[in-house]
């Protein structure tokens, strides 16, 4: 009988770290040791091959080059495997999950990111459950077809749509949430998949990877008291191409002339500005209050209920494409792979 074939891609993160005896700091260790530490992996009903970054990294060092490398590993092995599990530090896992979701066009197999809060060797580690269940999820098949056909993030008993997630705790095992989208599956005594939430985003299953990402982008979280100097300094960063503006509530910002005027000038210069709420959940609605209407009028693009992580990576992904301002706004305001919901 055909057992699903899974490729485990190790990029680094706490899951594979050990304590440096001299300094006490956590550092990455050899991936082969990771497999030695979980003999249970051999009991799974799938075959597992591994690929490790030559130099595993703490995910705070994650960069678009690493995303391209991951996408290339997946592309190269796409026809050989039924599913992919990416071991990744939790700190920037939501950014990577979002970026990969855009970069892997026509994805029709599972790519599941996971990691842990405690190293695999720690007595109370959360790594084993996360790793084993992530592999089980990547192996799920129905009629010889993968059940999950997208980039997911599995952590502490829940599988989320990757580009809907955000890290919420540096302390708890329950480190992630997906504020505007229910989880896709939950692991308890049984593995419960919410089939009605799964999507097939693409009509073709010919994987195409996008490798060009624009990094001249910025995230600006506004706050009461933000000064004209600060705003101008950001908007005049040489070669700035895109900005995620984290606004108040349902997409509101100061109505003062200098504020709106500076944004308008930046938009006229060709900088794409996307409005994302700094609230934990909910959506931008730029027609709801006067303080949001002004932004809409000058051409700020709505991010609706997108996360900041998905917004910045979607900017990186869309900016290199040759789109005129209208096409760009439309493309941003349309879901590519479930990253936003047009509620208004
Ligand atoms: N600093 C680590 C990282 O993101 C934390 C973790 O793995 O959870 O790589």
């Amino acid at each position: 009988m055909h057992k699903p074939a899974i490729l485990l891609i190790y990029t680094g993160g706490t899951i594979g770290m050990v304590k440096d005896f001299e300094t006490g700091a956590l550092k990455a260790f050899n991936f082969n040791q990771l497999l030695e530490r979980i003999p249970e992996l051999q009991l799974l009903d799938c075959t597992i091959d591994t690929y490790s970054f030559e130099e595993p990294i703490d995910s705070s060092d994650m960069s678009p080059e690493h995303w391209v490398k991951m996408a290339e590993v997946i592309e190269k092995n796409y026809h050989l495997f039924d599913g992919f599990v990416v071991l990744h530090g939790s700190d920037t896992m939501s950014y990577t999950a979002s970026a990969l979701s855009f970069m892997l066009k026509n994805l029709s197999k599972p790519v599941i990111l996971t990691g842990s809060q405690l190293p695999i060797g720690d007595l109370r580690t959360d790594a084993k459950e996360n790793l084993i269940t992530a592999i089980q999820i990547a192996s799920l098949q129905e009629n010889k077809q993968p059940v999950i056909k997208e980039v997911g993030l599995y952590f502490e008993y829940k599988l989320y749509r990757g580009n809907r997630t955000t890290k919420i705790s540096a302390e708890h095992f329950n480190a992630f949430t997906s504020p505007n989208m229910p989880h896709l599956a939950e692991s308890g005594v049984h593995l419960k998949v919410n089939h009605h939430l799964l999507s097939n985003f693409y009509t073709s299953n010919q994987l195409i990877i996008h490798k060009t990402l624009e990094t001249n982008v910025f995230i600006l979280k506004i706050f009461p008291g933000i000064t004209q100097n600060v705003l101008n300094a950001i908007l005049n960063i040489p070669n700035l191409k895109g900005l995620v503006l984290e606004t108040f509530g349902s997409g509101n910002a100061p109505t003062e002339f200098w504020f709106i005027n500076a944004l308008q000038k930046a938009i006229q210069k060709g900088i794409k500005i996307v409005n994302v709420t700094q609230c934990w959940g909910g959506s931008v609605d730029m027609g709801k209050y006067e303080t949001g209407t002004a932004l809409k009028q000058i051409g700020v693009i709505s991010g609706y209920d997108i996360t900041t992580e998905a917004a910045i990576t979607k900017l990186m992904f869309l900016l290199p494409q040759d789109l005129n301002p209208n096409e760009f706004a439309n493309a941003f305001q349309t879901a590519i792979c479930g990253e936003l919901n047009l509620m208004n």
Side-chain angles (χ1 to χ4, degrees), residues 12-15 17 57-60 88-92 116-117 167:
T14 299
I15 193 161
M17 286 185 179
I57 54 165
D58 184 299
S59 79
S60 303
H88 193 290
S90 61
D91 288 349
T92 61
S116 65
Q117 291 281 58
K167 185 173 179 184

Side-chain angles (χ1 to χ4, degrees), residues 2-37:
H2 167 80
K3 282 187 179 186
I6 303 301
L7 182 63
L8 199 54
I9 302 169
Y10 178 53
T11 69
T14 299
I15 193 161
M17 286 185 179
V18 279
K19 266 205 177 118
D20 184 301
F21 285 120
E22 275 162 31
T23 65
L26 287 172
K27 58 171 197 191
F29 79 125
N30 191 307
F31 184 59
N32 300 327
Q33 290 173 275
L34 181 79
L35 289 178
E36 275 165 32
R37 282 173 197 250

Side-chain angles (χ1 to χ4, degrees), residues 41 72 131 134 184 190 203 226 270 272 281 310-311 313 334:
L41 289 177
E72 284 175 343
L131 174 58
L184 302 177
H190 302 288
T203 44
I226 187 168
K272 306 292 187 299
T313 49
T334 306

